[in-house]
């Protein structure tokens, strides 16, 4: 039996800290600067937002979109600097970062930091994290997760006014230099589907269009979409001959009719889903969040909702959408659909009584059966990945984005960050490698005895003969590069730091405006303190019998404009999930601060 937990006390009131910003360093060097190496001294006089991101992370991609309006509005006073901090081994490759900067249309300087040097200097714990540096070079705020655009806009305006008055604000062009455009028929294609005509329909993601290619997979028949799509991904053929399109950055589903060329929005409002929003209802009235792939299965369109780690369904007869599986918590948990956890599901393939799922952030292949139970075929969790064949329980993938059902009941896997095509056979429980030397394969479609692979980073489709024997590869296993935090066994104080932005207050009109969910891997790491609550602090009891593990923390806070005269104030949701690797050691810290928004008063 454990001793009673000490009575929790509220976190102390924050104070404005004056912390000099560490230098920006990274072995990969700078992108989008015309070859110039930037220093903080070069940025003096500007408001600077440092965006710690990694290109596998859907939340990071959301933040890139959130920052675009701020970046444009304050172009003469604000410099956004991306610091690319990799999770996966592939993301530490410089060319992969170059590709990602173009793929996601990043229009500001980016520092490639493959060894996480700057990440460590700034004590960052999560992707994405935003750090604000004032024109004199001091850190004035830190934000983790999504939903901070309004707070950042307010803070930038305050800094502009303050430093304009002090004479320390420098207006004028920033250091961004756009790269030279490259001419190719496809640019970072995402997914493909075989049309009844024998042509291929491909989502040309970075060009925001669909492209129809002839059966040779090269000749362009037509380009589809002029302003309708934003970074489209998944495609699925419907029984009526139309194609449903995952219009990812528009947070919508659309149909394309190959016969008439008509494009129609069928689901989503165009706005991103947030915690507390409806999870079912008329399809055009319910918000979605980065739908990444779609599949026709069991009479419905199934949606890999990467942005909220769930599967949803669209019922074309009823015209409704609803959550089908997942809790929005990020991780790998099997079981009944309503209790299962996913981590950025990004690929779907229907195969009789199974719907296969590429669960990218857990480097896993999973499936859901017709009874609504979720199973894992390959993969162990958020932090283990690599390229290892053999028995599925010990096999490893690296951020797969696509799955394709094969005629023999097995499934081909677009093992994206391993640049390989893999195969899992349920009959034998074995994982093999079908092809290597691809470049970020993101999908594949069967064409007769061949398989056509979407080589996203080579901007093309590649036709392969399905091999009778698998390729032999040397086994490699990896774990995330992030260092574990040393914590003392026993009681650990968890503080999620949140300060409402200037001019806002916590929205408590309908009850508590904050939520905190804590769990662990393995579950026995926590002897106490797991579960959901409304306080942004928690006393955790760590099992001294374990040497290490991961704390999973999900926090949400809602704030509204503090104007008593406004009956309907604008409200903003701030949310973030952390996976914090911890190592239990005598002398380790007894307090773990995680910054959602603001500055930690106890530093």
């Amino acid at each position: 039996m454990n001793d009673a937990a000490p009575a929790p006390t509220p976190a102390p009131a924050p104070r404005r800290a004056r912390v000099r910003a560490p230098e920006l360093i990274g072995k990969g060097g700078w992108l989008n600067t015309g070859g110039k190496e930037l220093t903080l001294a070069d940025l003096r006089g500007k408001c600077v937002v440092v965006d710690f991101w990694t290109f596998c992370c859907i939340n990071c991609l959301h933040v890139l979109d959130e920052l675009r309006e701020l970046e444009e509005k304050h172009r003469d006073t604000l410099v956004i600097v991306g610091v690319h901090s990799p999770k996966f081994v592939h993301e530490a490759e410089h060319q992969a970062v170059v590709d990602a900067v173009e793929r996601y249309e990043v229009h500001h300087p980016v520092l490639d930091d493959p060894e996480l040097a700057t990440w460590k200097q700034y004590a960052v714990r999560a992707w994405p994290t935003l750090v604000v540096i004032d024109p004199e070079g001091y850190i004035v705020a830190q934000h983790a997760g999504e939903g901070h655009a309004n707070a950042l806009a307010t803070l930038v305006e305050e800094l502009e006014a303050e430093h304009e008055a002090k004479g320390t604000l420098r207006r004028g062009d920033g250091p961004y230099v756009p790269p030279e455009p490259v001419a190719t028929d496809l640019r970072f294609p995402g997914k493909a589907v075989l049309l009844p005509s024998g042509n291929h329909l491909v989502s040309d993601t970075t060009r925001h269009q669909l492209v129809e290619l002839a059966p040779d997979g090269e000749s362009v028949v037509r380009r589809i979409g002029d302003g309708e799509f934003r970074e489209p991904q998944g495609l699925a053929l419907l029984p009526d001959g139309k194609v449903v399109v995952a219009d990812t950055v528009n947070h919508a589903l659309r149909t394309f009719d190959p016969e008439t060329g008509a494009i129609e929005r069928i689901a989503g409002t165009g706005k991103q889903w947030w915690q507390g929003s409806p999870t079912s209802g008329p399809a055009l009235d319910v918000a979605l969040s980065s739908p990444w792939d779609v599949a026709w299965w069991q009479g419905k369109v199934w949606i890999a909702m990467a942005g909220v780690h769930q599967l949803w369904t669209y019922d074309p007869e009823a015209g409704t959408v609803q959550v089908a599986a997942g809790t929005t918590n990020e991780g790998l948990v099997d079981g009944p659909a309503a209790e299962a956890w996913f981590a950025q599901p990004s690929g779907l393939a229907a195969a009789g009584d199974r719907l296969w799922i590429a669960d990218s952030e857990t480097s896993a292949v999973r499936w859901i059966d017709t009874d609504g139970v979720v199973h894992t075929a390959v993969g162990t969790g958020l932090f283990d990945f690599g390229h290892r064949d053999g028995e599925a329980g010990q096999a490893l993938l690296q951020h797969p984005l696509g799955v394709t059902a094969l005629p023999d009941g097995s499934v081909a896997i677009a093992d994206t960050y391993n640049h390989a095509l893999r195969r899992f056979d349920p009959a034998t429980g074995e994982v093999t490698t079908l092809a290597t030397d691809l470049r970020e394969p993101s999908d594949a479609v069967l064409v007769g005895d061949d398989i056509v692979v979407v080589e996203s980073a080579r901007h093309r489709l590649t036709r392969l003969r399905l091999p009778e024997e698998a390729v032999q590869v040397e086994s490699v296993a990896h774990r995330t590069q992030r260092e574990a935090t040393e914590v003392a066994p026993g009681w650990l104080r968890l503080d999620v730091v949140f300060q409402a932005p200037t001019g806002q207050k916590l929205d408590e009109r309908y009850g508590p405006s904050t939520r905190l969910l804590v769990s662990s891997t393995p579950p026995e790491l926590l002897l106490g303190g797991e579960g959901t609550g409304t306080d942004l602090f928690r006393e955790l009891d760590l099992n001294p019998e374990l040497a290490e593990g991961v704390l999973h923390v999900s926090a949400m806070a809602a704030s509204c404009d503090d104007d008593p005269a406004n009956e309907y104030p604008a409200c903003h949701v701030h949310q973030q999930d952390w996976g914090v690797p911890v190592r239990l050691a005598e002398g380790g810290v007894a307090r773990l601060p995680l910054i959602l928004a603001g500055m930690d008063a106890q530093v």
Side-chain angles (χ1 to χ4, degrees), residues 196-211:
S197 64
N199 288 351
H200 303 275
L201 189 65
V202 185
S203 54
D204 195 17
T205 303
T206 298
R207 296 232 177 90
H208 313 293
Q209 292 182 317
L210 309 181
V211 177

Side-chain angles (χ1 to χ4, degrees), residues 337-494:
E339 302 170 13
W341 291 24
F342 297 94
Q344 223 167 290
S346 301
L348 299 174
D353 59 359
R354 293 186 180 190
L355 179 69
W356 292 102
I357 306 153
D359 202 29
S360 61
E361 279 294 285
T362 52
S363 297
V365 169
R366 307 171 74 184
W367 85 88
I368 186 169
D369 62 29
T370 53
D371 294 324
V373 179
V374 177
H375 312 260
T376 295
V378 186
T380 59
L382 285 164
F383 301 102
D384 294 295
F385 53 90
H387 193 148
R388 181 194 288 156
D389 288 333
E391 192 274 321
Q394 57 84 51
L396 293 172
L397 310 169
Q398 187 180 178
H399 199 80
L401 289 178
V403 280
T404 305
L406 299 179
D408 63 357
S410 65
V411 59
I413 307 158
D415 192 6
T416 309
Y417 288 3
N418 279 328
H419 310 299
L421 189 69
R422 311 283 292 283
R423 175 176 177 262
F424 167 68
D425 186 352
T428 63
E430 294 286 312
V431 175
T432 52
T433 297
L434 299 178
T436 58
D437 196 30
L438 302 168
R439 186 68 187 172
E440 291 192 18
S442 54
D443 196 20
V445 292
L446 280 175
V447 182
D449 293 330
D450 295 340
I451 191 163
V452 175
V453 179
V454 179
E455 274 199 274
S456 188
R458 283 200 178 113
H459 320 292
R460 70 186 189 192
L461 302 187
T462 298
R463 183 182 291 258
L464 304 172
R465 179 57 53 95
L466 275 173
E468 295 182 7
E469 294 186 5
V471 178
Q472 295 294 314
V473 297
E474 183 179 350
S475 293
V476 179
H478 301 290
R479 283 183 67 84
T480 180
Q481 294 187 61
R482 284 187 293 163
E483 294 180 356
T485 299
E486 288 203 347
V487 296
W491 294 106
L492 175 70
R493 165 75 179 222
L494 172 67

Side-chain angles (χ1 to χ4, degrees), residues 565-584:
N566 187 353
E567 187 178 355
Y568 303 104
C571 296
H572 311 274
V573 177
H574 316 263
Q575 64 183 44
Q576 173 63 5
D577 297 330
W578 291 267
V580 184
V582 295
R583 182 180 304 111
L584 277 64

Side-chain angles (χ1 to χ4, degrees), residues 265-319:
R265 179 169 60 92
I266 58 170
T269 64
K271 301 292 185 182
Q272 184 182 341
W273 186 94
W274 289 101
Q275 289 287 351
S277 301
T279 55
S280 63
L284 292 171
D285 297 338
V286 177
L288 309 181
S289 183
S290 298
W292 206 275
D293 202 7
V294 282
W296 178 255
W297 188 59
Q298 301 288 310
K300 295 180 180 179
V301 175
W302 285 69
I303 310 164
M305 202 73 78
V308 286
H309 316 299
Q310 291 180 313
L311 304 182
W312 288 42
T313 57
Y314 165 71
D315 185 335
E317 288 193 13

